[in-house]
Amino acid sequence: MAYIGNRPEQGNFRKCDAITTSATATYNLLVGGVAVNPNQNQCIVSLNGVIQSSGNSYTIASSQITFASTLASSDVIDFILILGDTLDVGVPSDDTVDASKITANVITGQTALGTTPADTDELLISDAGTLKRVDYSHLKSSVVNRPNVSPLLMNGDFAIAQRGTSKATIGNEYGTCDRWYSNTQVGAFTQSQDTDVPSGYGFANSLKMDCTTSASPTSGQRNYIQQRFEGQNLQLLKKGTANAEIITLSFWVKSVKTGTYIIEVQDVDNSRQISKSYTISSASTWEKKTISFAGDTTGALGDDNGRSFDIAWYLSAGSDYTSGTLSTSWSSVTNANRAVGQVNIADSTSNNWWLTGVQLEVGEYTSATLPPFQHESYGNNLERCERYYQVIAKGVDNARIVNAYNFDGTNTEATYNYFPTMRATPSIDQDTGTGYFEFRGNNDNSAFDSFGGMDGGSGHHAVRIYGTGGGSSSAGQAGSYRLGNASASIALQSEL
């Protein structure tokens, strides 16, 4: 801009370096050790505590100030300030700026992010009080964003075993740990709920398969452990749509026998499947495996309580299931491609196999990005399992089952109310034997070997249990059912 006279000093306000006086009138002007030549009319000079008059008390030329008279060593130049055309307020001291000094518009005045941040977008975080930049991709990988509240796979820590903790010569059945189905056709195995677990991960139980009779599989035989799912519980997978989700399965496994093992995921509704292999590298050592399966854009799962989806851990397989090429992409079920490369864990009675910490996640994860295992309370875990199996009475002689009555002089019946809602109309599951059950009425115990059955509906939360053994009671008289032997049991089942 235009100006009259000497050009104004430009830049920030500055203070000249301290000057030591002596028997002279002229002194060099320095700022930070560098010579400066300011306009004398834009300077404030203090000598012995008195502000000096520019042009009268001093003049400035060629980076030097000359006082009107010679100074003595006892004189003190307090300061020389150069008044620039801008103001430098300096840098605030640490911890001196708080929220009261910052307008809300600092945040609200900025453009809102309208979409999900790109992986390369940066955010500011405080690291022990120091602001640092971090890529969104790093934050995203550390945030658990499950679409499901409860674990998709049930009893993955094998804490619930309502039927019992050990089952010798297990067959094709639900044996010990709830929700885990066993298909055993090769050799013989004892299945148990075991306490051998990987240390430090919060697990107390595992599922153990102990080979007690060795064998080689015939062409059509196979052994596997499996969990089955209702279709209505897996609609979030969006199977059969263009947005079908990748799923990731993770688990801890241990085996005496090393080698290649197969995991199969099967869409039962549409007869489709995909298989992946994993390797047990070290004998008798817990190893964690994380395996992802592509989303399937073909075939939707039924939105109902039927069996729609299976996940199987193979232990043995005959040539009918191993003679092709492993189907590592979704395809129609071809038996020869389902378990190619699977070792035979039934080839020695020294072989044991354990499984625990099983989790199923929506999305693709690695061992480094996998969300933590969803540990449930024992009560919540049990209640979810009871949708499929509920023990009424088990393992204690004289344990009360339910109040009942004699309805025709010979036959007895009772209404049993259950909770929670079961998957479908339940059937009776009982361990039977001579005198295993009793009807107690009219001061008399009448023993019988088994209940005749039950009927009712899952929507009514009640079933009718009926049997014989009216004893000395007469029609219409009340009584109760109870166990007559510690080996007896009665339960409701509505498994897939």
Side-chain angles (χ1 to χ4, degrees):
M1 62 181 290
Y3 55 87
I4 298 174
N6 293 330
R7 179 181 178 183
E9 178 72 16
Q10 293 181 308
N12 294 324
F13 280 30
R14 292 176 292 173
K15 181 179 180 181
C16 290
D17 296 349
I19 297 174
T20 301
T21 58
S22 60
T24 182
T26 302
Y27 299 90
N28 294 325
L29 294 177
L30 305 174
V31 174
V34 178
V36 293
N37 185 24
N39 184 321
Q40 70 180 35
N41 293 323
Q42 286 185 273
C43 291
I44 299 176
V45 178
S46 176
L47 176 65
N48 297 322
V50 178
I51 300 298
Q52 303 299 298
S53 173
S54 173
N56 296 316
S57 299
Y58 68 89
T59 59
I60 293 177
S62 301
S63 301
Q64 290 183 324
I65 183 170
T66 301
F67 289 92
S69 60
T70 300
L71 302 183
S73 59
S74 60
D75 290 322
V76 176
I77 300 175
D78 304 302
F79 57 80
I80 300 175
L81 294 181
I82 303 171
L83 306 180
D85 58 359
T86 61
L87 177 63
D88 183 359
V89 298
V91 178
S93 301
D94 291 348
D95 301 323
T96 61
V97 179
D98 58 25
S100 65
K101 307 297 192 300
I102 303 174
T103 174
N105 192 53
V106 170
I107 300 298
T108 59
Q110 306 307 310
T111 302
L113 186 66
T115 59
T116 301
D119 284 352
T120 54
D121 285 348
E122 294 179 327
L123 298 91
L124 284 177
I125 64 170
S126 175
D127 180 10
T130 301
L131 283 178
K132 293 184 178 179
R133 298 191 317 254
V134 61
D135 284 349
Y136 174 70
S137 60
H138 181 76
L139 293 180
K140 184 175 68 173
S141 67
S142 62
V143 174
V144 177
N145 189 26
R146 290 186 174 102
N148 49 293
V149 175
S150 299
L152 294 176
L153 188 144
M154 297 185 189
N155 201 24
D157 60 359
F158 299 94
I160 309 301
Q162 294 187 82
R163 292 174 175 85
T165 58
S166 183
K167 176 78 173 179
T169 318
I170 191 167
N172 300 340
E173 60 184 314
Y174 288 94
T176 56
C177 296
D178 284 47
R179 304 298 305 119
W180 291 94
Y181 180 83
S182 175
N183 184 95
T184 311
Q185 300 172 337
V186 185
F189 286 80
T190 294
Q191 183 185 92
S192 61
Q193 181 194 49
D194 203 33
T195 56
D196 188 341
V197 294
S199 177
Y201 295 94
F203 303 115
N205 300 107
S206 62
L207 181 73
K208 178 182 179 181
M209 296 292 290
D210 177 11
C211 182
T212 56
T213 300
S214 62
S216 296
T218 62
S219 60
Q221 290 182 325
R222 54 183 174 160
N223 291 354
Y224 56 78
I225 301 298
Q226 181 184 67
Q227 183 146 149
R228 300 170 175 178
F229 300 80
E230 297 178 47
Q232 62 190 3
N233 291 341
L234 295 182
Q235 295 301 303
L236 77 173
L237 300 187
K238 306 167 193 171
K239 193 177 180 301
T241 75
N243 298 320
E245 297 278 5
I246 296 172
I247 58 174
T248 299
L249 183 69
S250 183
F251 54 92
W252 286 92
V253 66
K254 173 180 172 179
S255 180
V256 172
K257 187 174 183 65
T258 59
T260 299
Y261 290 75
I262 302 299
I263 298 282
E264 180 186 42
V265 177
Q266 183 177 4
D267 169 3
V268 179
D269 289 334
N270 300 286
S271 296
R272 293 174 61 76
Q273 63 87 226
I274 182 173
S275 296
K276 293 287 185 74
S277 65
Y278 67 94
T279 301
I280 293 181
S281 304
S282 301
S284 302
T285 303
W286 282 105
E287 299 177 7
K288 187 175 184 179
K289 308 299 178 182
T290 301
I291 306 170
S292 292
F293 298 84
D296 187 14
T297 58
T298 301
L301 300 177
D303 187 18
D304 53 36
N305 64 349
R307 175 184 170 191
S308 292
F309 202 78
D310 296 346
I311 300 178
W313 284 253
Y314 275 82
L315 301 178
S316 301
S319 59
D320 286 355
Y321 303 96
T322 61
S323 59
T325 301
L326 191 67
S327 55
T328 55
S329 299
W330 281 99
S331 61
S332 298
V333 172
T334 300
N335 280 343
N337 300 335
R338 298 174 74 174
V340 179
Q342 172 65 44
V343 301
N344 177 28
I345 200 174
D347 65 3
S348 170
T349 56
S350 297
N351 291 340
N352 299 323
W353 182 87
W354 293 263
L355 181 67
T356 195
V358 187
Q359 61 187 104
L360 179 64
E361 304 291 347
V362 178
E364 185 172 15
Y365 296 96
T366 65
S367 58
T369 61
L370 184 76
F373 183 89
Q374 286 179 278
H375 289 277
E376 296 182 279
S377 70
Y378 184 90
N380 288 345
N381 194 358
L382 174 61
E383 184 173 320
R384 296 180 73 206
C385 292
E386 286 181 329
R387 175 171 173 79
Y388 306 91
Y389 193 84
Q390 294 185 29
V391 172
I392 301 174
K394 179 183 178 67
V396 179
D397 191 15
N398 295 325
R400 184 67 59 89
I401 298 173
V402 67
N403 291 331
Y405 73 99
N406 185 324
F407 71 88
D408 65 0
T410 301
N411 298 296
T412 57
E413 67 174 41
T415 297
Y416 180 78
N417 296 289
Y418 59 85
F419 180 85
T421 300
M422 301 196 74
R423 181 189 65 85
T425 301
S427 60
I428 191 170
D429 181 38
Q430 52 185 329
D431 289 316
T432 63
T434 302
Y436 266 33
F437 301 96
E438 295 176 350
F439 176 80
R440 180 173 176 79
N442 196 30
N443 200 31
D444 176 48
N445 294 334
S446 177
F448 56 101
D449 299 343
S450 63
F451 284 93
M454 67 170 59
D455 53 43
S458 63
H460 301 291
H461 297 93
V463 290
R464 180 178 72 100
I465 304 172
Y466 53 89
T468 57
S472 63
S473 65
S474 57
Q477 283 191 316
S480 63
Y481 288 134
R482 67 182 188 181
L483 300 185
N485 190 295
S487 297
S489 70
I490 179 172
L492 307 180
Q493 62 180 356
S494 186
E495 297 282 6
L496 290 164

